Amino acid sequence: MPVPVPRQRAIPAVESGQAPAAMPAQGGGPLKEEANRTEAVAQNTGGTTLTLLLIEDDPAGSPVLPELQDASGTSIRVRTARNLTEAERLLTDDVHCILLDLALPAPGRASAATGDGAGTDELAVLRHVLQLAPRHAVLALTASGDAERGTEAVRVGAQDYLFRDELDGRLLSRAIRYAVERKRSLTTERKLAEGRMRAQENRRLERGLLPTPLLDGSALRFAARYRPGRSRALLGGDFYDTVRTPDGTVHAMIGDVCGHGPDEAALGVELRIAWRALTLAGLCGDELLGTLQEVLEHERSDDEIFATLCTVDIAPDGRRAGLCLAGHPAPLVAGPDRPAELLPYDNNGPALGLLKGARWPRMQVELGAEWSLMLYTDGLIEGRVGSGGERLGQEGMVEMVRRQLASGLTGEALLRAAVNEVRQLNGGELTDDVAVVLLDRGV
């Protein structure tokens, strides 16, 4: 229990039609030991005129609130309500804090003085007020010495509790200011926690939408690098996948939906999943791309949205592959006796979603006995070089990869170095999504 302080008596400014009656205004309450902390809070929030709503069922017999002032000396406005009905009417947006008498009957209960209908929940009125005013700070007013009930009130949701007959103006003013700031802090913390939770859920969702290659039984080595253009996102409009069908053929693809927002990312996921399902069902080449175009046309949010795509199906012996391009950059291939170069792209068809009835020829390419095949999106080649407007382009990318291969880089290390160098050449983060897939076959 707090130590009593000398009594003070004063009449506050009251904003309701209820005239408060006399009450000893004596300091008390659990905030006395936190005086230094609450004084600092009051100073940090000075300049705002606070409004207090007192909910007290017997103003005629109730003690008068002492004169209340904030840290700047400005009077704290006080409104009084005799019941929760009046409180709801007076509870406007400019009210900062509620001082609630816990002896007030809860709605639907008769007064304890009548001996009728007394309920078992002594804090029912507090729970009702917390539901009525979820954004407001609440101070519980309880009988002197009833610390157990006050502590329970804080556990239920009040910011603090005060003893009814041990109030003084200085302590109550500080308690009000502290309760308001504590409520603001808790609200901010809750919003931040909710934001973090949503961000974690989004990251888990996006991570789950990234592909897991299905290459069981294949001798090929797989590596991938993905960097979305959207800030703090894990998934962009670029997409890729790799699967091995029962006949031993390894199918790989990479694509890019125009745009960088969440709608484009979602469409990219839909196209990737559709590609995997169609590939496992036995479709390839022109038939597969035509079906994917139908999927895009049905799922896109705007008729002008399109997607580029590159598909490669590598024969079971690993020495040759079929290549289809739908408006997409040609893959890069390199080997021990073969400098890095682009695969043929003369028969590049249109991007998906641009032309009805389009065709995508399937080209046969020779890979050899030992090779590295790199599929990429245009985010890797459209970054700028230096301070001018020149872009890296495919030729610049080929030269860069040749140099990195000559230095002994392979697999994940090669992709990491390539993306990092492109970022450095660009002078900072790339604005476009970047996806790179690398398949290696050794002997």
Side-chain angles (χ1 to χ4, degrees), residues 15-73:
E15 289 195 353
S16 81
Q18 309 303 323
M23 158 180 176
Q26 191 171 358
L31 287 179
K32 198 170 250 312
E33 62 224 23
E34 300 189 36
N36 292 336
R37 180 180 176 186
T38 52
E39 286 290 358
V41 169
Q43 292 173 4
N44 290 336
T45 57
T48 301
T49 301
L50 295 181
T51 299
L52 173 72
L53 176 60
L54 169 65
I55 307 177
E56 159 64 44
D57 66 339
D58 187 14
S62 122
V64 171
L65 283 177
E67 184 176 1
L68 304 178
Q69 293 184 344
D70 61 20
S72 65

Side-chain angles (χ1 to χ4, degrees), residues 428-442:
E429 287 294 340
L430 301 166
T431 58
D432 199 1
D433 304 327
V434 176
V436 192
V437 172
L438 186 68
L439 291 169
D440 290 301
R441 182 178 188 268

Side-chain angles (χ1 to χ4, degrees), residues 19 21 39 63 74 76 78 87 110 139 149 190 200-201 216 218 265 359 379 401:
E39 286 290 358
T74 304
I76 296 176
V78 179
L139 287 171
R149 191 178 187 187
R190 186 183 70 252
Q200 290 171 2
E201 291 175 351
D216 291 346
S218 173
R359 303 299 298 272
V401 173

